[in-house]
Amino acid sequence: MKPPAFQYFRPKTIAESLTLLNTVPDAKILAGGQSLVPLMNMRLARPQALIDINGVEELRDIREEGTYIKAGALVRHYQLEQSSIIREGAPLVSQAEKYIGHEAIRSRGTIGGSLCHADPAAELPLLAVLQDWEMIAQSSQGTRIIPARDFFLTYFLTALAPDELLTAIRIPRQREDGSIAEYSIRHGDFALASAAVLVNTALNGELNSIAVSVGGVSEVPWRDVSMEQQWIGQPAAKALWRDIAHQVAFALDPPEDVHASGEQRRHLAETLIVEALESAVTHNSSSIAGGQ
């Protein structure tokens, strides 16, 4: 199918993009187009205009910025997968990228596009909530920073105002061991459920810190910081991983659709949390052993 007719603009700067957002009625931002274009072709989305920001060079950089890594909104998935800055400073992002679609999708899709699409089953929103990413949004009125926990509102809806452009993402440097696990019907499909974790273990074997996020089970990626605080100081062992996974699964109320029932998603989430926690801690043990 072909999309309905639309106006097309290709700005060269952020300022020009913001002017178009303010003056062109019913305009949508086009980045990688891996979600928007199929929706338009199926006529599920009918914007009157597209503002193609691929010509805005200032949105393409990955750079270190203090305790953060700053990625421009136009950074492609394959760049996140291959970047030495990401691999060394945010290795969980590199790991997650291998789950995203196929090479053709990763060559065009962008970090900003994935986050703004706000699919709760997608990998980058899951990590954004887990790692407390910060979204930098610009408008003609100025710049604001939106924490990931406030950015995702519900299915396919974010806190961005109509006149705002997501220009960059600040990713905290990863100090903990992390892992991601997911289950999809076919490789490259969106996951029926996914889990991502960060774990830091003290020398005495107790948990210093832990974060757990689950995707595909609610209208936004799930995380409960208050629940995480209850696990601090407990012995990092398989029994605790199973207990954590069971507590989280009990707190979930997953949706049901043609692909899986809510109960199936709850069971998958519980299994994937244990898998991710065991993988993260195993990686930590291997690193210590290698260092000796």
Side-chain angles (χ1 to χ4, degrees):
M1 295 182 66
K2 295 182 179 180
F6 57 87
Q7 291 180 286
Y8 177 79
F9 301 91
R10 190 175 172 88
K12 298 296 184 183
T13 65
I14 291 175
E16 188 181 350
S17 303
L18 294 176
T19 298
L20 289 168
L21 270 179
N22 273 298
T23 57
V24 179
D26 190 31
K28 293 286 186 184
I29 295 293
L30 176 66
Q34 299 305 290
S35 299
L36 179 59
V37 171
L39 288 172
M40 291 176 63
N41 286 340
M42 291 184 287
R43 304 207 171 198
L44 296 174
R46 295 169 175 261
Q48 296 299 304
L50 290 184
I51 301 172
D52 182 349
I53 60 172
N54 281 277
V56 183
E57 292 295 330
E58 53 196 310
L59 299 179
R60 297 181 179 277
D61 290 343
I62 300 174
R63 62 178 182 270
E64 297 174 286
E65 193 176 81
T67 59
Y68 292 88
I69 295 170
K70 188 174 181 180
L74 271 182
V75 169
R76 312 284 178 185
H77 289 298
Y78 81 89
Q79 293 175 271
L80 293 171
E81 184 178 357
Q82 298 175 6
S83 166
S84 59
I85 294 176
I86 294 292
R87 190 166 55 248
E88 294 167 11
L92 190 52
V93 176
S94 297
Q95 181 186 347
E97 282 293 335
K98 295 176 173 60
Y99 287 104
I100 297 177
H102 303 280
E103 287 188 13
I105 290 173
R106 294 197 295 273
S107 70
R108 289 296 303 168
T110 65
I111 183 173
S114 177
L115 295 170
C116 290
H117 186 54
D119 190 321
E123 291 81 3
L124 295 190
L126 177 71
L127 294 194
V129 170
L130 177 79
Q131 298 180 306
D132 297 316
W133 294 8
E134 294 179 343
M135 319 304 178
I136 301 176
Q138 286 187 230
S139 71
S140 56
Q141 281 71 50
T143 300
R144 66 173 178 142
I145 297 175
I146 311 172
R149 63 181 177 274
D150 300 325
F151 187 74
F152 304 106
L153 301 181
T154 185
Y155 297 103
F156 310 113
L157 183 65
T158 74
L160 281 178
D163 64 341
E164 283 185 315
L165 176 68
L166 178 65
T167 57
I169 299 90
R170 294 171 65 184
I171 304 171
R173 288 183 174 277
Q174 186 179 325
R175 306 300 184 187
E176 311 87 351
D177 295 293
S179 187
I180 182 172
E182 68 173 50
Y183 177 82
S184 58
I185 296 174
R186 296 170 301 184
H187 173 69
D189 286 359
F190 280 111
L192 295 182
S194 58
V197 303
L198 294 171
V199 181
N200 181 270
T201 306
L203 292 176
N204 65 1
E206 294 180 351
L207 279 182
N208 276 335
S209 66
I210 183 170
V212 177
S213 186
V214 187
V217 296
S218 55
E219 60 190 31
V220 298
W222 182 96
R223 185 184 174 197
D224 187 329
V225 176
S226 62
M227 186 179 289
E228 294 167 357
Q229 296 303 310
Q230 301 172 19
W231 304 322
I232 303 301
Q234 297 191 42
K238 289 186 178 181
L240 179 60
W241 306 153
R242 290 192 293 267
D243 187 45
I244 288 172
H246 184 70
Q247 289 182 50
V248 172
F250 185 78
L252 301 176
D253 184 21
E256 181 174 347
D257 58 27
V258 296
H259 300 295
S261 68
E263 189 56 37
Q264 285 174 316
R265 280 194 165 88
R266 182 180 288 108
H267 174 72
L268 280 173
E270 185 168 357
T271 302
L272 292 166
I273 290 168
V274 173
E275 179 182 334
L277 286 167
E278 289 184 345
S279 175
V281 174
T282 299
H283 176 267
N284 180 43
S285 300
S286 299
S287 299
I288 293 172
Q292 295 172 342

